[in-house]
Amino acid sequence: MSEYENDSAYHRPVMLAQCLAALDLQPGGRYVDVTFGGGGHSARILEKLTTGHLYSFDQDADAEAEAQKLVSSQFTFVKANFRELTTELQQLGVLPVDGLLADLGVSSHQFDTPERGFSTRFDGPLDMRMDPDGPLTAADILNDYKEADLHRIFGMYGEVTNARTLAQTIGAARRGRRLESIAELKQGILPCTPRGKENKYLAQVFQALRIEVNQEMQALQEMLLQTAEVLRPGGRLVVLSYHSLEDRLVKNFIGKGKFFGSVEKDFFGNESKPFEAVNRRPEEADPAEIALNSRARSAKLRVAIRTND
């Protein structure tokens, strides 16, 4: 049996072996998984610990239910968005930590649950909230945002080539009624959906909506900045991203200590940044894993070590 075949659809973690190796796990170390999801990575990290401890974050009630299956004195589940990283770890009194893993993908379970509204494969409500109690849904965005704002998010977060036309088409489709379901959205934007490229186009539209609903880019930046505070010198930062927007932020933060502009230097010309990259180019999943789990196809793994600044 392949190493990739040991996990259910809910639990199947992407690039598991590579992530475990990148964390350089020590049996007595303290580690954080800021994206528990189905618990696939967390379960395997726990197997490596003896006197150490794992703290796993997630804001999803379904993830919290999965976490209850990991019964271990070495495990603590934190029901919170990872943008609360420092605050939550401070309250637990466990700083600094030895390694941090962030798998930025949507879990298989979320994609495969029609009522969550993440997948283009099913009809369901236009929801897309990672936190089911969050204040903003995809339906709110589609029905209440101005066309100019829709144009912005589809162009920026979905990299949709005809973002302006898409926004105008949605404006026309919602006139006199609210778009509430995935089927209604698909039908409404049919006039501007490229023939023969429907699946890719819808995936870009859904990505943009999901990012806006969950403030994913803002949350990612906040979390990454906090990793410099919570990791000890020599600690490992391990991040799996799934689209170019995320990967660019991670790459820039590791390489420059900031998300935009050039790396800062001190009076003597030495670069001032909290991390040093382990892999210059991101690692990617191998063909065997991709054959079993298509969601691994777009994954990019970046690893960095906390410096002694």
Side-chain angles (χ1 to χ4, degrees), residues 10 56 67 104 116-117 132 134 139 174 179 191 201 217 248 256 268-269 278 282 289 292 306-307:
Y10 197 131
S56 293
L104 304 176
R116 299 298 296 272
R174 70 190 185 186
L179 299 172
Y201 187 77
M217 294 299 99
R248 193 176 304 125
K256 304 175 184 178
F268 301 100
V278 170
E289 178 173 5
L292 288 164
R306 182 71 170 94
T307 58

Side-chain angles (χ1 to χ4, degrees), residues 205-279:
V205 171
F206 273 52
Q207 174 179 295
L209 289 168
R210 193 197 75 231
I211 289 173
E212 179 70 9
V213 166
N214 299 290
Q215 295 187 303
E216 291 179 27
M217 294 299 99
Q218 298 93 321
L220 175 58
Q221 290 181 54
E222 290 178 28
M223 184 273 290
L224 287 172
L225 289 170
Q226 291 174 67
T227 61
E229 303 173 41
V230 304
L231 281 163
R232 66 165 176 80
R236 294 293 187 101
L237 172 64
V238 180
V239 186
L240 270 172
S241 60
Y242 295 82
H243 57 77
S244 60
L245 299 174
E246 291 173 339
D247 184 56
R248 193 176 304 125
L249 288 178
V250 176
K251 176 184 177 182
N252 287 346
F253 178 69
I254 291 174
K256 304 175 184 178
K258 57 202 295 191
F259 303 108
F260 308 101
S262 303
V263 64
E264 294 181 6
K265 297 183 180 181
D266 63 18
F267 181 77
F268 301 100
N270 300 309
E271 292 186 344
S272 178
K273 58 182 185 177
F275 288 95
E276 199 65 49
V278 170
N279 49 350

Side-chain angles (χ1 to χ4, degrees), residues 14-307:
V14 172
M15 297 182 70
L16 174 62
Q18 297 93 322
C19 288
L20 296 181
L23 283 168
D24 189 28
L25 293 165
Q26 304 301 312
R30 284 198 292 238
Y31 298 93
V32 182
D33 178 354
V34 298
T35 48
F36 181 84
H41 286 108
S42 283
R44 300 307 177 85
I45 292 170
L46 266 178
E47 290 175 1
K48 306 286 186 181
L49 303 182
T50 53
T51 57
H53 206 96
L54 173 66
Y55 302 87
S56 293
F57 284 63
D58 210 295
Q59 59 190 335
D60 193 324
D62 289 344
E64 184 178 25
E66 282 294 306
Q68 291 174 4
K69 300 175 183 178
L70 291 183
V71 181
S72 169
S73 59
Q74 269 70 52
F75 177 66
T76 300
F77 180 79
V78 182
K79 191 173 188 295
N81 188 302
F82 60 39
R83 66 202 311 175
E84 306 298 329
L85 176 65
T86 304
T87 299
E88 294 290 342
L89 294 180
Q90 280 178 336
Q91 289 178 352
L92 289 166
V94 296
L95 293 176
V97 298
D98 298 291
L100 183 146
L101 170 66
D103 179 348
L104 304 176
V106 180
S107 75
S108 299
H109 175 72
Q110 288 173 325
F111 269 127
D112 295 339
T113 306
E115 57 267 29
R116 299 298 296 272
F118 285 105
S119 177
T120 64
R121 291 178 292 132
F122 312 108
D123 191 19
L126 288 163
D127 193 320
M128 303 192 194
R129 290 174 294 178
M130 299 283 194
D131 176 0
D133 297 322
L136 185 69
T137 68
D140 295 329
I141 292 168
L142 289 163
N143 291 293
D144 301 335
Y145 274 32
K146 295 178 180 178
E147 286 184 19
D149 292 323
L150 291 174
H151 175 201
R152 174 183 58 81
I153 67 165
F154 287 127
M156 184 184 305
Y157 296 151
E159 299 178 293
V160 176
T161 53
N162 65 346
R164 184 187 300 276
T165 302
L166 173 60
Q168 292 170 342
T169 304
I170 290 171
R174 70 190 185 186
R175 227 160 266 143
R177 67 183 181 117
R178 284 183 66 84
L179 299 172
E180 299 288 359
S181 72
I182 291 171
E184 289 172 348
L185 172 61
K186 286 182 178 179
Q187 184 63 37
I189 66 174
L190 196 58
C192 64
T193 302
R195 295 288 176 86
K197 299 181 179 178
E198 291 88 351
N199 290 339
K200 180 181 179 182
Y201 187 77
L202 288 171
Q204 291 174 299
V205 171
F206 273 52
Q207 174 179 295
L209 289 168
R210 193 197 75 231
I211 289 173
E212 179 70 9
V213 166
N214 299 290
Q215 295 187 303
E216 291 179 27
M217 294 299 99
Q218 298 93 321
L220 175 58
Q221 290 181 54
E222 290 178 28
M223 184 273 290
L224 287 172
L225 289 170
Q226 291 174 67
T227 61
E229 303 173 41
V230 304
L231 281 163
R232 66 165 176 80
R236 294 293 187 101
L237 172 64
V238 180
V239 186
L240 270 172
S241 60
Y242 295 82
H243 57 77
S244 60
L245 299 174
E246 291 173 339
D247 184 56
R248 193 176 304 125
L249 288 178
V250 176
K251 176 184 177 182
N252 287 346
F253 178 69
I254 291 174
K256 304 175 184 178
K258 57 202 295 191
F259 303 108
F260 308 101
S262 303
V263 64
E264 294 181 6
K265 297 183 180 181
D266 63 18
F267 181 77
F268 301 100
N270 300 309
E271 292 186 344
S272 178
K273 58 182 185 177
F275 288 95
E276 199 65 49
V278 170
N279 49 350
R280 181 171 180 147
R281 295 178 61 82
E283 195 171 348
E284 299 179 355
D286 62 39
E289 178 173 5
I290 293 170
L292 288 164
N293 182 5
S294 62
R295 288 168 187 156
R297 183 180 294 111
S298 57
K300 294 187 184 301
L301 177 67
R302 292 191 184 271
V303 185
I305 297 177
R306 182 71 170 94
T307 58

